[in-house]
Amino acid sequence: MLNNFLGILIVSVFLSPVLNAQKEVSGIISGNLVDENKRAIPDATIQLISFEKDIYIRSTISDKNGFFQFSEIAFAYYKLKFSHTGLQTLEIDSIYFRAERFDFNLNDIMLKVSRENELKEVIVYAEKPLVESKDGNITFNAGESALAAGSTLADLLNSVPLVTKDPDGKIMLRGKEPRILVDDKPVELNLQQLQDLLESMPGSSIEKIEVMTNPPPQYANEQGGVINIVTKKGKVGMGGRLAISGGTRGEGSINGSFNYRKNKFAININTGAGLNRYLGEGNSSRKNTYADSVNYLNTVSHSLNKNIRPNLRVVIDYEIKKNHQLNFVLNKNLNDFNNSNSTQYSNLNRMNQLYKLSERNIKSDGTGNN
């Protein structure tokens, strides 16, 4: 049995790099098909074609929301061909999958109505890098990544250059605390509320994250710079996400998101709550020896810190015209806390008899709204 176990272990050790290597050489691409009125196009045929050999590789059909996806794509150049009855055939050329860039999110791809004597449309794909740098400012194009859908905004921030977190979870930009904006609007939240907001927003709702080490004039006095989080409407249709987490120290959270988009209307809702319940106990003993006596001081303390932080963010967009948009944002954060601490001091003589006892109780509770 031992020999069999060692054999399995050795095979696992040698297979792991092979499996990892196979996993590394695979790409993923996704997108949404819409018509000229921003309506989803279901049952369209999408073909993945080798660019170099011009041979058919794979095909799929868009779902009822116009969504499609290919995964496990070997590194190389490819093109995508889109076709649907009554609509003009579209071809996107020169998509390059490689180790440095293996995931692509094409977002909305528009198919136009087919007209007589009209040839198929060919677009050479102009790849937007995941990270752009200009004039000392950095832009992380999260919306270009198909893998962003499986993460939260907090996860995405960990991938942004120059952005770090201190041991308490506070966001730092080049070692200083930055000003946080969402869609160019300042976010006035405390540390815990901001962390809850970042955990509740799914990565699929983020278009890009702008890191401004040289902020605009209105934020010129911000020593730590500015981080602007730009959200997007999301794909056509309806979707949601629910996340529950807990910790051994007494912390937990639940976060959910819901998005709906149809034609020119879009709504995104992010909500959740964070909960902490920290219980602490401590004790100490001290012996004081004098020329004529001995004194003992015993200290016993108990503490209970509780707080709950619900949050809600609702964004509604309506596209009136191409360059005219109606936008409504509602942000609500609450912090309800109840903390108590009790410490007891007892003095004993050399006969171990209590001759002095004192107690200190501290309690605080309150509610903060934003």
Side-chain angles (χ1 to χ4, degrees), residues 349-365:
N349 59 23
R350 61 186 180 86
M351 304 300 294
N352 208 33
Q353 296 173 329
L354 179 67
Y355 72 90
K356 185 178 181 182
L357 178 68
S358 61
E359 191 175 44
R360 182 178 66 181
N361 293 292
I362 301 174
K363 189 173 183 179
S364 62
D365 62 85

Side-chain angles (χ1 to χ4, degrees), residues 56-102:
Y56 160 79
I57 301 294
R58 268 188 284 170
S59 70
T60 189
I61 302 294
S62 60
D63 66 13
K64 64 179 182 179
N65 297 319
F67 178 76
F68 71 90
Q69 179 175 293
F70 290 103
S71 58
E72 298 181 0
I73 304 170
F75 289 170
Y77 281 94
Y78 294 90
K79 54 186 175 182
L80 287 173
K81 185 177 180 181
F82 306 90
S83 57
H84 191 278
T85 304
L87 298 176
Q88 184 180 350
T89 299
L90 174 66
E91 200 171 276
I92 297 182
D93 222 335
S94 305
I95 304 174
Y96 183 27
F97 293 89
R98 56 200 186 278
E100 304 83 48
R101 183 69 189 279
F102 61 90

